[in-house]
Amino acid sequence: VQLQASGGGLVQAGDSLRLSCALSGRTSISFHMAWFRQTPAKEREFVAGVTGDTGAAVYGDSVKGHVTISRGNVRNTVVLQMDSLKPEDTAVYYCAATSKTFSAPRLGVKARESFDNWGQGTLVTVSS
């Protein structure tokens, strides 16, 4: 399984940005997929996720209201739409995926430890 993330870049505060992630290698099943982000000062933080069974969207508390995650048209692709970006959104954003079965998928996708496949990371820089 490989994850290819794209869409990062340098934007100004208030701008929007869209990140995409595509999984390749095992496309016959639906994966739980999520975005995490990390800065040098913080641990990797959950941003948003989509469950593989129902496609339910789950959001981290720090981004609720200004990001939207959705499944792409192709199976096992996700899009993270970020609006009204702030300098504190500056981070390396990582796409993650897992085929594990969760008793509570909406909780499972929020945990960094749930994921066994990670993309290479894409840098988002928001200038003030």
Side-chain angles (χ1 to χ4, degrees):
V1 171
Q2 288 188 324
L3 293 169
Q4 182 65 47
S6 60
L10 172 63
V11 297
Q12 293 187 331
D15 284 351
S16 297
L17 201 62
R18 175 176 290 200
L19 304 183
S20 298
C21 178
L23 181 149
S24 62
R26 284 187 65 189
T27 57
S28 61
I29 60 174
S30 292
F31 282 71
H32 305 291
M33 299 184 74
W35 287 95
F36 289 77
R37 66 185 182 185
Q38 188 168 20
T39 66
K42 292 184 179 181
E43 292 187 351
R44 197 165 292 191
E45 173 191 31
F46 171 74
V47 176
V50 177
T51 63
D53 49 355
T54 64
V58 185
Y59 297 97
D61 290 338
S62 63
V63 299
K64 276 183 183 175
H66 81 102
V67 305
T68 303
I69 190 169
S70 59
R71 289 205 169 270
N73 293 329
V74 177
R75 191 179 206 172
N76 292 325
T77 60
V78 288
V79 174
L80 184 71
Q81 176 69 38
M82 300 189 291
D83 300 312
S84 303
L85 283 162
K86 310 167 190 175
E88 49 265 42
D89 293 313
T90 295
V92 177
Y93 284 71
Y94 294 92
C95 178
T98 184
S99 59
K100 295 176 186 176
T101 300
F102 299 122
S103 57
R106 294 173 68 97
L107 291 178
V109 297
K110 298 177 73 172
R112 182 180 54 193
E113 297 75 23
S114 295
F115 293 92
D116 42 16
N117 299 287
W118 291 88
Q120 81 281 12
T122 183
L123 177 62
V124 172
T125 303
V126 184
S127 64
S128 58

